[in-house]
Amino acid sequence: MHRAVPGVVLNASQPLRRIAAGTTVLALSAVWLGSSAAAAQPAPTNVTATDEVATLQAELLADEEARIAAFEKADRAYRPIHLSSRDTASRVVVAPPAPAKPPVPVKKKPPATTKAPSVAPPSGAAGTVVSWALGQVGKPYKWAAAGPNAFDCSGLVMAAYAKVGVKLPHQSEQIAARGRKVPAGQWRAGDVIHTSGHVAIYLGNGKMVEAANPQAGVRVAPVRGGTAYRFL
């Protein structure tokens, strides 16, 4: 009897081998048991031709069964290794998320300075007005106050012009009504800048000194528009 060949992987064609084996046996039987051969050979007394064919057929089938069993055993041993390697290869490695970027600090606008800038005051009476007003920077704002320790907007202008002998009312609209309007582009240091409900003293270079509000007090700040009036 033939032995099974170990290590062979079972495939889809294995079931067809049984049919092929049976067909081969029948073909061999037909050749071996031809009419001429039967006449030439005397029939054995104890074993018939049919018994020999059946014996050969049984051996072939047993051999095929053993081979199929070996194929199935090899296939069962091969399948877990194959599936494990395939699963490992199909795994997707997920990269960790990138760390978040730190927030960008927001730059805050510097507040208007409360210190007197290095502004060269003009000569004459206008210089006196500007110099005295800058000397009040940092003092508190107080409504209806005109110094010497606190000011409101019209109180600061009134007190500064009093230093050069110009008497002004303690009210922003009335101060503007008494001055000479200065065209845009011709403003000079010492002119009074008027906006609705507020007055300040122009310093030049787009700056003014003002008694702003209770939070800011007397300070130097950028010009915020308005109309200029001249009293000197």
Side-chain angles (χ1 to χ4, degrees), residues 205-225:
N205 298 322
K207 301 289 186 179
M208 64 182 183
V209 58
E210 63 176 346
N213 51 58
Q215 289 74 35
V218 180
R219 67 179 182 179
V220 174
V223 174
R224 300 184 296 274

Side-chain angles (χ1 to χ4, degrees), residues 76-209:
R76 283 194 299 270
Y78 168 75
R79 190 175 303 166
I81 300 174
H82 176 67
L83 293 178
S84 176
S85 61
R86 184 178 62 186
D87 293 344
T88 303
S90 64
R91 284 192 191 125
V92 178
V93 179
V94 180
K101 294 182 179 180
V104 178
V106 179
K107 295 182 179 180
K108 296 182 179 179
K109 294 182 178 180
T113 179
T114 58
K115 295 182 179 180
S118 56
V119 176
S123 59
T128 301
V129 170
V130 169
S131 297
W132 186 90
L134 288 175
Q136 314 312 307
V137 171
K139 291 186 178 180
Y141 177 97
K142 184 177 180 181
W143 183 79
N149 299 319
F151 300 89
D152 66 1
C153 67
S154 57
L156 178 67
V157 173
M158 182 184 71
Y161 271 87
K163 298 301 178 181
V164 295
V166 177
K167 187 176 182 179
L168 297 177
H170 195 169
Q171 205 277 337
S172 59
E173 307 298 332
Q174 294 178 12
I175 290 175
R178 295 192 181 191
R180 300 188 310 273
K181 186 176 180 180
V182 181
Q186 300 181 19
W187 294 6
R188 294 190 310 213
D191 291 344
V192 175
I193 301 174
H194 173 258
T195 56
S196 179
H198 188 67
V199 286
I201 299 174
Y202 184 59
L203 299 175
N205 298 322
K207 301 289 186 179
M208 64 182 183
V209 58

